Amino acid sequence: MESVRLDVWLWAARFYKTRSQAKQACDASQVRANDEVAKPSRAVRVGDTITAKIGDTRRIGKVLILSEVRGPA
């Protein structure tokens, strides 16, 4: 697997509870990938930096592995 959709990765990495919440956040320009506003269909690759605004909190993460499956908390 070389890349994954951003909304799927945000859901699998537990940034958001549902994939639709991740998609809505991307559509509202609350998610940035490598300091660029990102659409939900953007391809995420290992090494990318993802910044997501969730309420009043800003979460920053670096993509170390790709997954389309949500694992245990």
Side-chain angles (χ1 to χ4, degrees):
M1 178 180 343
E2 196 169 302
S3 66
V4 176
R5 284 179 54 106
L6 178 60
D7 58 344
V8 173
W9 187 87
L10 287 168
W11 168 76
R14 296 188 173 267
F15 277 65
Y16 295 95
K17 289 185 179 185
T18 65
R19 183 172 165 220
S20 63
Q21 286 178 339
K23 181 183 180 311
Q24 289 172 353
C26 292
D27 289 338
S29 300
Q30 295 178 346
V31 178
R32 299 175 74 82
N34 297 327
D35 294 326
E36 297 178 3
V37 176
K39 293 183 178 181
S41 61
R42 182 192 187 283
V44 176
R45 293 181 173 80
V46 173
D48 287 352
T49 301
I50 308 296
T51 305
K53 184 178 178 191
I54 305 167
D56 293 333
T57 307
R58 181 169 305 219
R59 293 181 69 185
I60 301 171
K62 185 161 182 134
V63 179
L64 301 177
I65 59 171
L66 298 176
S67 178
E68 292 180 341
V69 181
R70 189 170 176 145

